[in-house]
Amino acid sequence: MDYPNDQAPGAPVRHGIPEHGRIPKYYAVKARLDGLIGELGEGDALPTERDLSEQYEVARETVRQAIRELVLEGKLRRQGRGTVVAGPKLEQPLSLASYTEGVRRQGRTPGRNLVTLDRFPCPAALAAETGLERGEPVWHMERVLLADDERVGLESTYVAVTRVPRLDADFEPDSSFYAYLHGQGITFGDADERIETVLATPREALLIGTPPALPMLLIHRVSRDSEGVPLERVRSLYRGDRFSFTTHLGG
């Protein structure tokens, strides 16, 4: 038995093979493709489904299912009519650091495209969640998140107009909102976050440029300033095939 001596940390135990040794054909093909991906470089093209089905002596649908799973896991990506090796996932820290800082730390160029920036009276649900006054003016800013010009997520930020009254005039939408807040003399204190897996709505999928069936990582954040006063409510949607999240836990 090859377990555990060659078991890589973080890999499925016994490479995901059940004790009885019987595995679906697509999973066997997926394991072989995973090995092939390790030999190829980022952007290298995968052989065609027809070539792979002949090489592995399986039906094309079996190959197609294996490729679909590897695309969902972010190891492969579609390019035109073919499939190529994807780059490594972006690691975003679970901290009060901005998206910009997290992307730059990995040598990538962060960016954002503004979708909308508007203001409206704070609704009851938002007031209950943040401690803002119901009916007070709030900004809503929605932006597509970019990494090296690749669309990787969608971010909605809600903040009281009284905190940043000139947001629509002074703020550059493609820059870091946290850096802007620091420039306004606002410092962060703490935040509550909740993470879940969701599917994008048709509108969100269109903005991010992904199929609606692609799993997304959704982060809800309510942050407060250094005085404990509610500051912002953020809904961040990240592509599950392009992101992982890291944190450090103290004892």
Side-chain angles (χ1 to χ4, degrees), residues 46 65 91 99 122 133 146 181 200 240 248 250:
L46 206 67
Q65 183 176 356
E91 292 185 359
Y99 168 79
C122 181
E133 292 294 330
L146 307 173
L181 291 177
H248 174 74

Side-chain angles (χ1 to χ4, degrees), residues 22-160:
R22 297 188 297 275
I23 61 173
K25 284 186 178 181
Y26 87 88
Y27 190 87
V29 172
K30 178 183 174 183
R32 296 180 70 175
L33 289 177
D34 205 8
L36 176 60
I37 290 169
E39 299 172 2
L40 299 173
E42 180 179 351
D44 286 348
L46 206 67
T48 65
E49 291 179 1
R50 174 182 294 179
D51 290 342
L52 290 171
S53 66
E54 292 177 355
Q55 179 181 347
Y56 298 149
E57 298 180 337
V58 295
R60 289 183 65 175
E61 180 53 37
T62 302
V63 172
R64 194 171 294 125
Q65 183 176 356
I67 290 175
R68 274 199 300 264
E69 290 205 0
L70 290 167
V71 168
L72 288 175
E73 292 176 7
K75 296 180 179 179
L76 296 172
R77 60 181 173 85
R78 302 293 187 183
Q79 183 170 292
R81 300 185 65 181
T83 307
V84 301
V85 176
K89 288 189 176 183
L90 291 160
E91 292 185 359
Q92 188 74 355
L94 290 173
S95 66
L96 277 173
S98 73
Y99 168 79
T100 300
E101 294 172 25
V103 173
R104 280 181 178 161
R105 195 175 297 130
Q106 294 166 81
R108 307 286 293 274
T109 302
R112 294 174 175 86
N113 288 337
L114 181 66
V115 178
T116 182
L117 174 60
D118 50 17
R119 55 185 288 174
F120 52 84
C122 181
L126 182 61
E129 190 173 10
T130 62
L132 297 173
E133 292 294 330
R134 181 177 180 181
E136 73 169 291
V138 295
W139 292 113
H140 170 236
M141 178 169 58
E142 186 178 35
R143 297 183 293 173
V144 174
L145 304 176
L146 307 173
D148 290 343
D149 294 325
E150 178 188 11
R151 289 178 286 174
V152 293
L154 185 67
E155 180 182 76
S156 284
T157 302
Y158 301 86
V159 61

